[in-house]
Amino acid sequence: MHSFRHARRLLAAALTAWPLLAAAQDDCPPPPAPPSAEALVQAQGAARDRGFLWRLEKDGRSSWLYGTLHLARLEWAFPGPRVREALAASRTLALELDLLDAETQRRLAAGSLARPGEAGAALAPELRARIERRARLECAAAAVLAPLKPEFQVAALSMLAGRRLGLEPDYGIDATLAALARREGKPVVALETAEEQLRAMSAPSRAELAEQVKGALDELDSGRAQALLARMARTWASGDHALLERYAQWCECQHTNADAAAMRRLLEARHPAMAARLDALHRGGQPVFAAVGSLHMIGARGLPALMAQRGYRVERIALEAPGPDINAMIDGLWDYDDPAASEARFRAALADTTNEATHDAALSLRTQIARTFSLRRRFDEAQRELDAVDAELAGAGAEPRVRTLLERGRTWRSAGEPARARPLFLQAEQLARTAKLEFLHVDALHMVALVQTDPELQLDWTRRALAVARAAADPLAHRWEASLNHNIGWHLHDAGRHEEALQSFRAALVARERDGAKPARLREARWSVARELRALARHDEALALLRPLEAELASAGESDGFVPEEIGENLLALGRAEEARPYFARVHAELSRLETVERPDEARLARLLSLSR
């Protein structure tokens, strides 16, 4: 309990600075309230491992290297069991800087201030005006921001931008580690000085300063900086080391020479001195737990690589969170009969801060939002959403790449342009097969089938998809059997091969029942069997299936134009036109209101209207 009180006092003290930075505006995020004792107990009790951890072995001793995140959420502020175990096995905590040290705070504050009259003079009036505008948008008090050097002004604004994403500097895990080490009587040392860190953040010339400030403002004003913060937070929270290693591919942070120079100053240029100090501490006989920002860990010049060059055996300890089963998640969120409600569920899953989905999972969810637009014939919105996903695919894995190809192809097909969809489905099929994404491989094969113009090719591609589904190791891929048998049934129906079609529709119904399908899907499967019985002129058998469907819909308070249409067609074929007429009237009223891709063409609607009179 003492550690909770210590952490609470620590966080509360840090949070008192926020009113100085937050201006009183209606749209400003409220300053984070000091967490209650109960909230701290809950956060520490639920803490799991996040971030990136390495064991460093040399001379018979182990030290540790831990990649942290400086802007975080309260639930991320406490270390999980493996990180706590590594900290407990160490005798010294090493941080970039010990920000709980009063002298360090004083030197940082002093070094970030401009000399009198220099803050404004260093920049052109246009850039000063942009900083002032951005400060208002980020709710920063001008009196606090104005005395800082320009590069520290934009750094503060970038930090404040995280607040609208729920990311706070006071919840970074570094401070918690420092508090825990002090509680246990362990020395806390710095791997660099305040002056070294200040130099890394400072532009060496006025020209580079202007370019650095302009670049930072461009990123904030475009929203790219906020997107990068969110992506980095997800990467850290999920322990996605593969994505972290690909940071240079997706950060879009080195567009200009000034960008590249600033990145070298902030990262690579600091690493040799950090590695030397960490090595000296370890050689001094004290196992060290070194916690530094995660971006210091990547690439051939990152700290793990430099420690390996110094003769350490470097072993990464995987802290990756169990990734969500994205196929199962998406399947559970979909209601294809209600795309609008499905969109709301997908957006809620993306906004759920406890989800901590990987970047790939988040991109995959967004492709499904695009699909909800396509199903509602809002094709331009679907394309825009997919364009936004494509813009973030750098460094992403195969799954979101396959999904964006599939959904863009589906959008073109639904918009009446199957020729534009076909190459996208073929690309998706090849990529899914190569990446061994069985569920999506089957999906891609079945979509290739749907855009074939030759009926025999349609049937061939669908049967290929069915064979892959049956042979798959992924249980979810087996659930394609119902849909694929359904599609094979329609291919055979269109070819006039009605006995074979009936067998396929019955196989689809068996698969739906086996998979515990939703009632709407079971009704669709039974309706398809009835439709094929009508094609075989077995009208009484068809009606025997359709009447219970009609009763089920009425009992559930639901309406479905397709069941009464089929009843009407069978009655008409049996010569009972008067009995059929009210069914056709209901069908016309129901189907003419549809605004989804299931809306019949005008000729079919006209026929239904005629038969209702």
Side-chain angles (χ1 to χ4, degrees):
M1 189 65 187
H2 293 300
S3 62
F4 299 146
R5 292 183 188 137
H6 193 161
R8 187 182 181 195
R9 286 198 299 272
L10 172 68
L11 291 169
L15 290 168
T16 59
W18 277 104
L20 300 175
L21 289 173
Q25 294 175 206
D26 291 342
D27 64 342
C28 292
S36 66
E38 292 75 18
L40 288 168
V41 169
Q42 183 178 7
Q44 187 161 9
R48 67 166 179 77
D49 290 301
R50 296 179 173 88
F52 310 96
L53 183 65
W54 287 261
R55 180 189 289 112
L56 311 176
E57 291 186 353
K58 189 177 180 181
D59 300 331
R61 292 187 301 279
S62 293
S63 287
W64 304 84
L65 193 55
Y66 180 54
T68 66
L69 185 71
H70 301 322
L71 295 176
R73 300 189 172 103
L74 174 60
E75 59 267 30
W76 303 350
F78 293 95
R82 278 177 288 185
V83 175
R84 288 199 307 269
E85 182 181 347
L87 181 62
S90 305
R91 297 183 185 176
T92 299
L93 173 67
L95 304 170
E96 294 175 45
L97 291 175
D98 180 7
L99 295 180
L100 300 187
D101 177 67
E103 178 59 18
T104 299
Q105 292 178 15
R106 186 194 66 77
R107 287 156 62 190
L108 280 176
S112 63
L113 295 175
R115 295 190 183 95
E118 279 193 352
L123 293 177
E126 176 194 353
L127 286 178
R128 292 202 302 271
R130 288 186 65 187
I131 288 178
E132 291 170 4
R133 175 182 173 276
R134 193 74 228 171
R136 289 192 296 272
L137 290 172
E138 299 298 350
C139 310
V144 174
L145 203 63
L148 300 178
K149 294 176 181 177
E151 55 266 58
F152 290 94
Q153 291 184 29
V154 292
L157 292 173
S158 298
M159 180 184 69
L160 286 171
R163 298 186 62 213
R164 296 187 188 277
L165 303 169
L167 303 173
E168 302 286 356
D170 307 297
Y171 299 147
I173 198 169
D174 309 68
T176 307
L177 294 171
L180 290 172
R182 281 180 166 81
R183 181 178 71 93
E184 295 168 7
K186 294 180 179 180
V188 180
V189 301
L191 292 175
E192 56 188 353
T193 67
E195 289 72 26
E196 286 170 331
Q197 194 163 108
L198 288 165
R199 280 196 299 273
M201 295 182 67
S202 300
S205 70
R206 283 203 173 190
E208 287 185 72
L209 171 64
E211 194 171 353
Q212 182 177 328
V213 169
K214 180 181 181 301
L217 291 169
D218 288 346
E219 294 295 298
L220 285 166
D221 290 345
S222 68
R224 290 191 297 269
Q226 294 86 334
L228 182 60
L229 277 174
R231 188 171 186 180
M232 188 63 205
R234 284 197 303 269
T235 301
W236 185 85
S238 62
D240 193 341
H241 180 258
L243 187 60
L244 179 73
E245 277 292 321
R246 300 195 297 269
Y247 177 78
Q249 299 175 30
W250 53 263
C251 71
E252 298 185 13
C253 53
Q254 300 191 52
H255 289 307
T256 68
N257 291 335
D259 289 340
M263 286 295 292
R264 284 193 295 272
R265 285 198 312 273
L266 286 169
L267 297 175
E268 293 176 7
R270 297 162 62 192
H271 294 167
M274 284 186 183
R277 287 166 186 160
L278 178 54
D279 181 43
L281 288 166
H282 182 92
R283 284 189 290 106
Q286 299 294 314
V288 183
F289 186 97
V292 300
S294 294
L295 292 180
H296 294 290
M297 306 298 180
I298 59 178
R301 297 183 181 88
L303 287 175
L306 293 185
M307 298 310 291
Q309 291 172 23
R310 288 177 171 270
Y312 286 80
R313 180 178 177 271
V314 178
E315 176 191 4
R316 187 173 72 86
I317 309 301
L319 300 182
E320 282 87 348
D325 184 338
I326 190 62
N327 288 324
M329 180 191 296
I330 286 173
D331 185 61
L333 295 172
W334 257 117
D335 178 355
Y336 294 99
D337 296 322
D338 194 344
S342 299
E343 179 196 357
R345 284 192 289 273
F346 288 125
R347 292 196 185 280
L350 281 169
D352 182 359
T353 60
T354 66
N355 186 15
E356 293 173 12
T358 65
H359 182 64
D360 282 10
L363 291 178
S364 295
L365 288 170
R366 288 168 60 189
T367 67
Q368 301 310 291
I369 291 173
R371 189 174 184 181
T372 71
F373 290 139
S374 181
L375 286 173
R376 287 173 284 174
R377 308 189 69 81
R378 291 158 58 179
F379 302 124
D380 288 345
E381 290 173 84
Q383 296 284 11
R384 283 196 295 273
E385 184 68 33
L386 292 169
D387 287 344
V389 171
D390 281 350
E392 296 187 37
L393 283 177
E399 180 156 350
R401 294 175 184 276
V402 173
R403 286 188 178 278
T404 191
L405 288 167
L406 284 171
E407 299 315 330
R408 199 178 293 280
R410 274 193 263 262
T411 299
W412 285 123
R413 177 176 177 267
S414 297
E417 299 195 51
R420 298 185 72 168
R422 186 174 181 274
L424 298 171
F425 293 143
L426 287 170
Q427 289 179 57
E429 187 276 329
Q430 183 178 21
L431 180 55
R433 173 165 37 87
T434 302
K436 295 181 170 41
L437 299 171
E438 293 178 322
F439 178 86
L440 295 179
H441 185 204
V442 178
D443 192 355
L445 285 166
H446 115 277
M447 291 310 301
V448 173
L450 293 178
V451 291
Q452 299 298 321
T453 55
D454 182 332
E456 285 303 313
L457 286 176
Q458 290 179 353
L459 189 57
D460 179 63
W461 277 95
T462 309
R463 282 175 168 160
R464 286 171 61 183
L466 182 59
V468 171
R470 285 173 171 165
D474 180 0
L476 203 58
H478 294 169
R479 295 172 69 92
W480 273 108
E481 288 188 48
S483 295
L484 293 169
N485 275 307
H486 175 88
N487 289 356
I488 289 170
W490 282 112
H491 294 319
L492 293 167
H493 170 90
D494 292 340
R497 296 159 62 178
H498 297 301
E499 286 290 354
E500 294 174 77
L502 180 61
Q503 292 176 22
S504 290
F505 285 132
R506 282 178 167 158
L509 175 57
V510 169
R512 291 286 188 211
E513 292 171 339
R514 177 200 68 199
D515 295 340
K518 295 177 181 178
R521 291 288 165 261
L522 285 170
R523 287 195 292 266
E524 178 188 48
R526 289 156 63 195
W527 178 93
S528 299
V529 172
R531 174 64 185 88
E532 207 55 36
L533 287 169
R534 175 164 72 89
L536 290 164
R538 292 160 63 175
H539 302 296
D540 289 326
E541 290 178 69
L543 287 169
L545 283 175
L546 293 165
R547 294 296 190 186
L549 290 181
E550 181 183 24
E552 285 177 25
L553 287 167
S555 176
E558 298 178 18
S559 58
D560 178 345
F562 300 101
V563 170
E565 179 183 24
E566 200 56 35
I567 292 174
E569 294 287 2
N570 278 283
L571 291 172
L572 186 66
L574 290 169
R576 295 153 64 180
E578 284 297 319
E579 193 177 345
R581 189 169 290 120
Y583 283 100
F584 288 123
R586 283 170 52 196
V587 173
H588 181 269
E590 190 78 34
L591 298 186
S592 62
R593 290 197 299 267
L594 285 179
E595 295 181 358
T596 68
V597 293
E598 293 182 330
R599 178 184 171 88
D601 58 42
E602 294 307 315
R604 180 175 162 197
L605 288 173
R607 177 178 178 273
L608 291 170
L609 182 62
S610 173
L611 291 171
S612 71
R613 292 172 174 170

